[in-house]
Amino acid sequence: MMDMEVVRDVVFLDPEMLQLPEVSPSVMKSNPSVADDLFAQWLSLPDTVRLVKSLLADAKVGTSLNALGNYTSVSAASNNSLPSMFPGSSTPPLSPRSVSSSPRVMEQRVNPFSASLKLVSEPVQEVIPQFYFKNGRPPPNEMKEHCFFKIDQHFHGHFNGLQIHEFKSVAKDICELPSFLSTALFRKIDVIGTGIVTRDQFIDYWIKSNMLTMDLATQIYTILKQPGHEYLTQDDFRPVLDELLSTHPGLVFLQGTPEFQERYAETVIYRIFYYINRSGNGRLTLRELKHGNLIAAMQLVDEEEDINKVLRFKCIDLDENGVLTQHEMQFFYAEQIHRLKCMAQEPILFEDILCQIFDMIGVKDDSYITLRDLKGSKLAGHVFNILFNLKKFVAFESRHPFIIRQEREDPTLTEWDRFAHREYIRLSMEETCEMSNGGEDVWDEPLETSF
């Protein structure tokens, strides 16, 4: 058996002749080096060596060359089926001389083609970054470094930690929360009630638990809610109201009357749940908190010393679309009807009340009332009395004809102006009556005894 040298510098190799169904011909054409490696690999196979030797032997004795027939006869003797390199009528290429190693040596080489073929044939998988984090998205390094800098400034010199009265600046400057949330934040961190919050405790809660990257509404919701709850109750707002009443400059006048502070806190909490807790179940969810304007009102209260200027929270615009519809007014008037029935009085139909409201306001569109319509009408107060204040509503319906005539004569006068005008007329009439009687007084009569 004569040795045969295999040459790897084959020129003008047609990749389609390799007949590999698992590899696209276009890929082979765009990567010539892969085709060369494949051909070299094919030449190193034992069955390929036998095929080439058989073809060479036939050529020496002058036998007609038939690559497909010879290849079939050779491969039939073995169980390993090889891909055909040449069409049936073609002539196999001759192998030029080369100093490359023999097929026996090449058979033991590591396949240099396998890695390239794998990279070309397999699709590249796109790496999708993580988008869900169970405990919130971790803060970026720059944000953490900036927060650490402010933490070091506030905890400098306080090696044992900060007390509750020193925590207001932490809530305001570091956490950027309303300052009256400092007590709730302090108690959330100081779980065991030591009265001290250390630097490490604050870092564990605010940075390592990813509170730093939450939006403001989620931060306040997380601070106020009780462990295991997925909602806020009225009791969760008590620490906030207690601190607001004790620290806000606009509420200093209530500090001397604890009973009024208690009623004020209850009123504010009821108002919060009335406006925001749309389900009315006493459980304020995060969705409801984000949908309302409570957070913006908290920020405004923290910045405004005159608390009377904070006039947020909307009464009858239930869907907050900027207009009052017939359905919204009927929703509140239904309560007035129920009260009238309890007082054994005949209620007025809503259709009649609705026409009266539209006439008082003078709306441009009979399907809704805008805020501009209310501000432009001097009788807007009666609309709210009809929907909310039963006592004033009944008084409005049972007005004296003289009062009705006064309202029509000068609709610009307020209720106070009309009250003052009536009292002035009454006092003037009494004074006139006294003068007509001669101005005598019972105390001017002589004190005579009847004896």
Side-chain angles (χ1 to χ4, degrees):
M1 182 181 297
M2 57 182 299
D3 293 332
M4 180 184 67
E5 295 181 352
V6 180
V7 179
R8 299 186 58 185
D9 54 348
V10 179
V11 186
F12 302 114
L13 175 64
D14 188 0
E16 295 184 357
M17 298 177 62
L18 296 176
Q19 300 182 8
L20 297 178
E22 64 272 16
V23 181
S24 174
S26 61
V27 176
M28 301 290 291
K29 290 181 179 179
S30 61
N31 298 272
S33 60
V34 175
D36 294 341
D37 292 339
L38 249 182
F39 184 63
Q41 176 72 11
W42 181 79
L43 287 177
S44 65
L45 297 177
D47 289 342
T48 306
V49 174
R50 288 192 293 269
L51 173 62
V52 174
K53 287 183 177 181
S54 175
L55 292 174
L56 289 176
D58 293 340
K60 288 181 179 180
V61 298
T63 305
S64 176
L65 295 178
N66 188 343
L68 182 61
N70 292 335
Y71 166 72
T72 304
S73 62
V74 173
S75 60
S78 62
N79 295 327
N80 185 16
S81 177
L82 296 176
S84 177
M85 281 290 297
F86 316 110
S89 60
S90 63
T91 302
L94 298 178
S95 300
R97 294 293 179 180
S98 174
V99 295
S100 59
S101 59
S102 64
R104 183 171 302 179
V105 176
M106 292 184 64
E107 184 179 356
Q108 300 175 357
R109 289 182 178 177
V110 177
N111 187 358
F113 158 74
S114 59
S116 301
L117 181 60
K118 183 177 181 180
L119 291 176
V120 174
S121 60
E122 293 184 358
V124 179
Q125 295 183 353
E126 182 181 359
V127 179
I128 301 176
Q130 183 178 356
F131 58 89
Y132 172 76
F133 300 88
K134 183 178 180 181
N135 298 322
R137 182 180 296 275
N141 292 330
E142 295 182 0
M143 183 183 294
K144 288 197 298 185
E145 291 176 0
H146 181 66
C147 188
F148 276 125
F149 175 76
K150 293 194 294 186
I151 291 174
D152 293 336
Q153 285 184 325
H154 283 77
F155 281 86
H156 179 71
H158 300 275
F159 302 103
N160 295 328
L162 296 176
Q163 298 181 8
I164 191 169
H165 65 275
E166 302 171 315
F167 216 66
K168 186 177 293 291
S169 61
V170 175
K172 180 72 174 177
D173 300 334
I174 300 179
C175 304
E176 299 181 356
L177 296 169
S179 59
F180 46 86
L181 285 169
S182 61
T183 300
L185 177 62
F186 185 92
R187 293 176 179 173
K188 195 74 172 183
I189 301 175
D190 184 24
V191 181
I192 59 177
T194 61
I196 294 291
V197 169
T198 64
R199 176 182 179 275
D200 293 338
Q201 286 178 321
F202 180 76
I203 291 175
D204 290 340
Y205 180 79
W206 192 253
I207 297 181
K208 293 185 178 180
S209 64
N210 300 330
M211 287 284 291
L212 182 60
T213 57
M214 297 180 182
D215 59 89
L216 183 58
T218 306
Q219 289 175 346
I220 295 177
Y221 174 81
T222 306
I223 292 172
L224 295 183
K225 76 180 185 71
Q226 298 297 322
H229 287 185
E230 296 300 329
Y231 53 85
L232 296 176
T233 63
Q234 295 185 7
D235 292 337
D236 295 333
F237 285 90
R238 287 311 301 259
V240 179
L241 268 298
D242 291 342
E243 185 172 0
L244 179 66
L245 287 166
S246 61
T247 60
H248 198 279
L251 298 174
V252 175
F253 69 96
L254 289 176
Q255 293 182 0
T257 54
E259 62 276 9
F260 284 107
Q261 285 185 324
E262 183 72 17
R263 300 287 84 79
Y264 181 87
E266 290 180 358
T267 302
V268 173
I269 293 175
Y270 288 148
R271 188 177 182 182
I272 290 173
F273 277 79
Y274 176 79
Y275 288 144
I276 301 180
N277 184 214
R278 297 297 184 183
S279 59
N281 59 357
R283 296 182 175 185
L284 189 62
T285 63
L286 177 59
R287 181 184 181 89
E288 292 174 328
L289 184 63
K290 288 184 176 182
H291 185 70
N293 59 355
L294 177 62
I295 304 302
M298 283 183 171
Q299 292 176 311
L300 184 58
V301 168
D302 200 35
E303 301 295 335
E304 180 60 57
E305 292 187 0
D306 188 0
I307 199 169
N308 294 320
K309 293 183 179 180
V310 182
L311 301 175
R312 296 291 181 87
F313 309 115
K314 300 176 181 178
C315 292
I316 56 179
D317 187 11
L318 297 178
D319 53 5
E320 298 185 356
N321 62 349
V323 298
L324 304 180
T325 62
Q326 299 181 16
H327 172 72
E328 290 170 330
M329 288 184 283
Q330 187 176 14
F331 174 81
F332 289 97
Y333 186 71
E335 181 65 23
Q336 299 289 63
I337 293 178
H338 175 70
R339 293 175 181 175
L340 288 172
K341 290 181 178 180
C342 292
M343 297 172 60
Q345 295 192 18
E346 184 178 357
I348 304 175
L349 296 178
F350 174 73
E351 290 75 11
D352 298 335
I353 287 294
L354 186 63
C355 294
Q356 188 176 357
I357 290 176
F358 284 155
D359 292 339
M360 287 190 298
I361 300 300
V363 296
K364 298 180 180 179
D365 192 329
D366 292 343
S367 60
Y368 59 85
I369 299 176
T370 64
L371 182 60
R372 176 173 296 184
D373 294 335
L374 290 172
K375 288 184 175 180
S377 174
K378 299 297 182 180
L379 302 177
H382 293 306
V383 176
F384 293 101
N385 290 336
I386 291 173
L387 299 178
F388 296 115
N389 196 319
L390 181 60
K391 183 178 180 180
K392 290 186 177 181
F393 170 51
V394 174
F396 178 76
E397 289 297 319
S398 58
R399 291 171 297 169
H400 193 275
F402 175 74
I403 298 177
I404 298 176
R405 182 165 58 86
Q406 269 191 333
E407 293 177 353
R408 292 176 179 176
E409 289 177 353
D410 193 354
T412 60
L413 295 178
T414 62
E415 289 294 327
W416 170 255
D417 294 333
R418 295 191 180 94
F419 171 76
H421 184 66
R422 290 194 301 268
E423 289 298 307
Y424 177 79
I425 294 176
R426 185 180 64 81
L427 293 174
S428 299
M429 293 177 62
E430 290 180 357
E431 185 177 354
T432 303
C433 292
E434 291 177 359
M435 292 179 63
S436 63
N437 293 330
E440 296 180 355
D441 192 272
V442 294
W443 298 107
D444 294 334
E445 296 181 356
L447 298 178
E448 298 181 354
T449 61
S450 57
F451 299 105

